[in-house]
């Protein structure tokens, strides 16, 4: 019924018939596909046979309870159930709803009109400025078309031959002859040209610029600002435009989450049972495996993220990697690490695949002998340098100990010499 259903979206298509049923005299029929939801009353109970939870419609449960004196533990609840119908010359209720838990019509626009009960996006606010621009442009064309665009006003007696006057007036190299005194008397005058209202073009330019302004998409975001302004200012204006359009991006993210759930339902219900093979790439190896999905998985999360190999994401990542390259040049990075970095570079994917293939071949064949010799030589030189440093340190410690011993002996020797001298009795002459 209309009270218990909610129309989400309507898609129309024309059917003209084909084959033996085609009739040229028959009118076309508009077939409308509609999805709606109804509230369903259910009962959750414990199955006495296996002790597990089960569900049943409320009407069937009430009929069973009247016959069984003792009922198992249960609870009543309601749940929305989605259905679809095709409306044409007759109403057809389709029981094969693709997803009974949600609608397969997912909206991508970002604003909801509570009055009209429909979704709308950027173009709705741009309709009125476009109408104003069309009206003023039409008015300009009407003024131009309804007024004279050149020509001349002449009296009948101003010329001798009217036909030759008309033929020679528009000719660039022709001579138009007049009667004597006709020009002086003003008997020949050009048609007055129309003067366009000065405010008309200003209004037209205002309407055309308003088409962009009401949407919130400024010139900086489009990359069309032809002004000598600092890059910081342009970046700030781009961020301001992104803030204005944040709700639309949020709606786009929400749409992709709903779309992911719908695609997952179609994969699980209609594609996985067919045993279709899917292409899986893992550790630089491509293999085809059957699409298998667990039927008992009920709780899951749909993550919406930027694709790592998207052009915009690769450009941002490569800008960060370029700033880090001076610090990475002294790092001990192998071929596999540089292959991972190449995946985020703006270079063609075929070039990155060739480097990946070479890295995989080197990994399977083992290290390069020349490279291994260079690595061993570097290790020996490092070990030799460490031993020399240790030897120099030991020699320094020995020298310090000898210097300390000599200093101590120098302090003790005068005392011993003074102790061996005899006592002084007096001064001899």
């Amino acid at each position: 019924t209309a009270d218990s259903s909610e129309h989400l979206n309507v898609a129309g298509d024309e059917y003209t018939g084909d084959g033996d049923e085609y009739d040229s005299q028959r009118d076309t029929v508009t077939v409308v596909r509609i999805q709606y939801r109804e509230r369903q009353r259910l009962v959750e109970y414990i199955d006495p046979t296996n002790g597990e939870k089960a569900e049943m419609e409320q009407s069937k449960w009430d009929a069973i309870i009247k016959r069984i004196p003792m009922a198992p533990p249960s609870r009543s609840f309601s749940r929305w159930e989605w259905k679809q119908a095709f409306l044409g010359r007759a109403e057809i209720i389709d029981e094969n709803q693709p997803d009974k838990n949600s609608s397969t019509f997912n909206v991508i626009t970002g604003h909801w009109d509570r009055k009209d009960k429909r979704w709308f996006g950027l173009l709705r606010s741009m309709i009125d400025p476009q109408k104003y621009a069309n009206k003023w442009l039409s008015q300009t064309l009407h003024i131009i078309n309804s007024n004279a665009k050149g020509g001349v006003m002449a009296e009948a007696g101003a010329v001798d031959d009217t036909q030759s006057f008309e033929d020679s007036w528009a000719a660039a190299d022709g001579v138009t002859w007049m009667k004597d005194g006709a020009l002086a008397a003003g008997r020949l005058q050009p048609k007055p040209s129309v003067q366009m209202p000065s405010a008309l073009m200003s209004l037209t330019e205002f309407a055309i610029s308003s088409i962009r302004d009401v949407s919130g998409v400024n010139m900086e975001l489009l990359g069309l600002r032809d002004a000598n302004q600092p890059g910081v200012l342009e970046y700030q204006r781009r961020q301001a435009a992104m803030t204005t359009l944040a709700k639309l991006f949020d709606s786009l993210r929400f749409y992709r989450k709903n779309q992911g759930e719908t695609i997952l339902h179609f994969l699980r219900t209609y594609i996985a049972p067919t045993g279709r093979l899917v292409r899986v790439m893992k550790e630089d190896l491509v293999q085809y495996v059957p699409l298998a999905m667990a039927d008992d998985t009920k709780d899951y999360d749909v993550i919406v993220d930027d694709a790592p190999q998207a052009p915009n994401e690769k450009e941002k990542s490569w800008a960060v990697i370029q700033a880090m390259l001076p610090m990475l040049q002294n790092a001990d990075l192998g071929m596999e690490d540089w292959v991972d970095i190449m995946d985020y570079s703006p270079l063609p994917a075929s070039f990155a695949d060739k480097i990946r293939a070479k890295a995989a071949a080197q990994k399977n064949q083992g290290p390069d002998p020349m490279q291994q010799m260079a690595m061993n030589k570097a290790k020996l030189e490092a070990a030799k340098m460490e031993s020399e440093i240790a030897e120099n340190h030991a020699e320094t410690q020995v020298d310090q100990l000898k210097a300390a011993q000599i200093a101590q002996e120098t302090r003790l020797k005068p005392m011993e010499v003074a102790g061996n001298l005899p006592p002084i009795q007096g001064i001899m002459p």
Side-chain angles (χ1 to χ4, degrees), residues 87-373:
L87 309 178
R89 290 185 174 178
E91 180 178 348
I92 301 176
I93 303 298
D94 187 8
E95 298 295 338
N96 297 324
Q97 165 69 10
D99 190 359
K100 295 183 179 298
N101 297 324
S102 62
S103 173
T104 57
F105 295 157
N106 297 319
V107 294
I108 198 171
T109 48
H111 303 284
W112 171 253
D113 191 342
R114 296 183 178 181
K115 182 178 179 180
D116 295 339
K117 302 297 182 181
R118 65 177 62 187
W119 296 89
F120 67 95
L122 287 176
L123 295 181
R124 181 174 178 178
S125 59
M126 300 166 66
I127 292 176
D128 288 341
Q130 183 66 57
K131 288 182 178 179
Y132 298 150
N134 295 342
K135 174 60 179 176
W136 290 327
L137 286 174
S138 301
Q139 185 69 21
T140 302
L141 292 176
H142 174 71
I143 294 173
I144 294 174
N145 294 332
S146 59
N147 287 273
K149 296 174 284 297
V152 64
M153 297 183 298
E155 295 182 2
V159 296
D160 292 330
D161 190 355
T162 306
Q163 185 64 35
S164 62
F165 173 79
E166 294 177 357
D167 294 340
S168 62
W169 178 260
D173 56 348
V175 178
T176 304
W177 294 97
M178 310 290 298
K179 286 185 176 182
D180 295 339
L183 296 176
R187 300 172 67 184
L188 182 69
Q189 296 181 4
K191 291 182 179 180
S193 60
V194 61
Q195 297 294 330
M196 297 295 297
S198 60
L200 187 59
M201 295 307 299
S202 300
L203 291 174
T204 305
E205 294 177 359
F206 170 74
I208 295 175
S209 62
S210 298
I211 297 174
R212 180 188 64 253
D213 295 338
V214 297
S215 64
V217 182
N218 54 20
M219 300 292 290
E220 286 79 9
L221 188 61
L222 296 175
L224 301 176
R225 172 64 69 183
D226 187 11
N228 188 12
Q229 60 184 9
V232 177
L233 177 60
E234 186 158 348
Y235 176 78
Q236 290 177 351
R237 290 183 176 177
R238 286 184 182 180
Q239 291 299 112
M242 297 294 290
T243 304
T244 305
L245 303 175
K247 185 176 181 180
L248 296 175
F249 287 104
D250 183 66
S251 299
L252 178 61
R253 190 180 184 89
F254 181 70
Y255 157 75
R256 286 175 175 168
K257 286 187 176 182
N258 294 335
Q259 185 189 32
E261 295 179 358
T262 303
I263 293 175
L264 181 62
H265 173 76
F266 275 86
L267 290 175
R268 178 183 298 173
T269 308
Y270 302 103
I271 299 180
T274 61
R276 180 174 299 182
L277 299 178
V278 293
R279 182 172 179 264
V280 178
M281 179 179 290
K282 184 178 181 181
E283 296 181 357
D284 303 334
L285 298 176
V286 179
Q287 55 182 347
Y288 291 87
V289 297
L291 178 61
M293 305 183 69
D295 297 334
D296 56 349
T297 303
K298 296 182 180 180
D299 298 333
Y300 56 89
D301 190 13
V302 179
I303 300 175
V304 179
D305 198 0
D306 295 333
Q309 303 300 328
N312 293 338
E313 191 65 21
K314 290 178 68 174
E315 182 180 357
K316 295 178 182 178
S317 302
W318 185 247
V320 177
I321 293 173
Q322 280 184 321
M324 297 174 60
L325 284 178
M327 296 181 292
L328 296 176
Q329 63 182 358
N330 297 327
D332 188 11
L333 298 178
M335 191 65 179
E336 297 179 356
D337 299 328
W338 287 108
V339 169
D340 295 336
I341 294 176
M342 292 296 294
D343 290 337
Y344 295 93
S345 67
L347 295 173
S350 58
F351 180 73
D353 293 338
K354 291 180 180 178
I355 297 179
R356 186 181 293 106
K358 292 181 180 180
Q362 291 181 2
K363 183 178 180 181
N364 296 330
Q365 295 176 359
D368 189 6
M370 299 298 296
Q371 186 178 3
Q372 187 69 24
M373 291 176 61

